[in-house]
Amino acid sequence: MNKLLPIAAISASVLLTACGGNTKDNAEVQLINQEKAVALITSFETKDKAALAYIDSDKYVQHNLMAADGIEGFKHFLSILPKTDVKADVIRAYSDGDYVFTHTDYNLFEPEVGFDIFRFEDGKMVEHWDNLQPTATSPNPSGRTQLDGATKAVDLDKTEANKALVADFVETILMKGEFDKVGNFFEGDYYLQHNTQVADGLSGLSKALAYMASQGIEMVYNKNHLVLGQGNFVLSVSEGTFAGKDTSFYDLFRVENGKIVEHWDVIETILPEAKRQNANGKF
């Protein structure tokens, strides 16, 4: 499995990316924020409470519906983690302006794969979103796992174009269902797939969708809430339903030469209001 590159190793690429004006100062802020996000997640495993200093205790807004709001909710979450066998291995981490998004191999209360998003203000975390899904016990039909594959962000000058491509794909194909336009987003059948049930290629996706339809299972994207990106990696956060249940879809795409070439996702059923530990909403 690919590990996240050490912070020193990723700094060179991250320093080339900037928020808005592509300045060195902005890029350095992004790198520092990215380091903080990785450190906070890693602290689940290391028990290093020093990472709590990266959270703004007066502003922190929590969107994980199973955790109470604010810094006290986060501390309570840490206090109930198992004493042993906790894992929080960040495989991918990227920055987009005031946001950092990560892709992590977790074993907190059970093995899970998760995406986390942190929003920063003045160097402090002020808001957090995530999506979690149980780790599959075996590779998908093409032998891929939920976490393997490419990790390094490249084509940093193409971030905005790649984000626009993914936003268009989500709206045109996933939301509107205009499948006659799918060729605009892919190079033939070349599409590496990390969804646990789907094989590579558009052919694999078509086969999976046809099977779901035969079983009366619908996957519906109703709204796209957020698109974040760094270079060739773009994360889309959407809301919809899966098998009739309110669902949060986090889709990570890798783009190459203006086409989508690789995909990872985490699909989570949205907790009913009566069971939520905060009132901030999933999105």
Side-chain angles (χ1 to χ4, degrees), residues 12 67 93 117 123-124 132 134 140 148 151 158 163 168 171 181 185 187 201 207 210 216 233 248 251 263:
I117 300 172
K124 296 276 191 174
L132 297 164
N140 72 8
D148 64 355
T151 60
K158 298 178 181 177
K163 287 170 64 177
D168 188 14
E171 179 178 0
K181 299 178 181 179
F185 303 97
E187 190 65 49
K207 183 178 179 180
F233 283 91
S248 173
D251 293 279
H263 170 252

Side-chain angles (χ1 to χ4, degrees), residues 100-117:
V100 173
F101 56 103
T102 59
H103 194 195
T104 302
D105 184 8
Y106 280 119
N107 185 11
L108 303 180
F109 304 100
E110 63 176 332
E112 292 181 301
V113 173
F115 284 109
D116 291 270
I117 300 172

Side-chain angles (χ1 to χ4, degrees), residues 65-67 270-282:
L65 301 178
M66 297 183 68
I270 299 175
L271 203 66
E273 287 189 19
K275 295 184 178 181
R276 298 178 185 180
Q277 300 301 306
N278 67 66
N280 298 321
K282 180 69 174 175

Side-chain angles (χ1 to χ4, degrees), residues 234-274:
V234 180
L235 178 68
S236 168
V237 176
S238 303
E239 179 178 3
T241 60
F242 184 74
K245 297 180 179 180
D246 291 338
T247 300
S248 173
F249 300 99
Y250 277 46
D251 293 279
L252 179 66
F253 299 93
R254 183 170 64 87
V255 180
E256 190 174 278
N257 298 323
K259 300 291 185 180
I260 295 171
V261 297
E262 196 163 9
H263 170 252
W264 301 259
D265 63 358
V266 167
I267 301 172
E268 181 181 331
T269 301
I270 299 175
L271 203 66
E273 287 189 19

Side-chain angles (χ1 to χ4, degrees), residues 15-202:
L15 283 171
L16 295 175
T17 305
C19 170
N22 290 329
T23 65
K24 182 178 179 181
D25 287 346
N26 284 335
E28 288 175 342
V29 168
Q30 286 190 323
L31 172 61
I32 293 169
N33 288 345
Q34 187 168 310
E35 290 176 335
K36 290 175 181 178
V38 172
L40 186 71
I41 292 174
T42 304
S43 73
F44 297 158
E45 182 175 342
T46 65
K47 316 297 186 188
D48 181 7
K49 295 184 179 179
L52 289 172
Y54 303 143
I55 298 175
D56 188 322
S57 58
D58 295 323
K59 295 183 178 180
Y60 193 64
V61 177
Q62 177 63 260
H63 293 275
N64 181 315
L65 301 178
M66 297 183 68
D69 201 15
I71 186 67
E72 293 306 317
F74 187 84
K75 289 179 179 178
H76 174 71
F77 175 78
L78 290 179
S79 72
I80 63 174
L81 286 176
K83 301 301 181 184
T84 59
D85 298 324
V86 169
K87 181 180 183 180
D89 184 10
V90 180
I91 306 299
R92 297 174 179 84
Y94 308 107
S95 302
D96 186 348
D98 294 328
Y99 293 87
V100 173
F101 56 103
T102 59
H103 194 195
T104 302
D105 184 8
Y106 280 119
N107 185 11
L108 303 180
F109 304 100
E110 63 176 332
E112 292 181 301
V113 173
F115 284 109
D116 291 270
I117 300 172
F118 298 93
R119 184 171 66 84
F120 285 79
E121 288 182 3
D122 300 322
K124 296 276 191 174
M125 299 173 186
V126 296
E127 201 162 7
H128 169 254
W129 302 258
D130 64 3
N131 228 39
L132 297 164
Q133 180 177 329
T135 304
T137 56
S138 60
N140 72 8
S142 290
R144 304 187 192 281
T145 73
Q146 292 160 283
L147 288 159
D148 64 355
T151 60
K152 184 179 179 180
V154 297
D155 298 332
L156 302 179
D157 60 324
K158 298 178 181 177
T159 295
E160 294 306 316
N162 290 340
K163 287 170 64 177
L165 175 75
V166 168
D168 188 14
F169 171 74
V170 172
E171 179 178 0
T172 302
I173 305 302
L174 300 182
M175 294 174 62
K176 294 181 178 179
E178 298 177 3
F179 294 107
D180 58 311
K181 299 178 181 179
V182 73
N184 296 339
F185 303 97
F186 300 92
E187 190 65 49
D189 198 40
Y190 183 66
Y191 182 41
L192 307 181
Q193 180 63 260
H194 296 269
N195 180 287
T196 61
Q197 303 297 318
V198 183
D200 283 353
L202 293 183

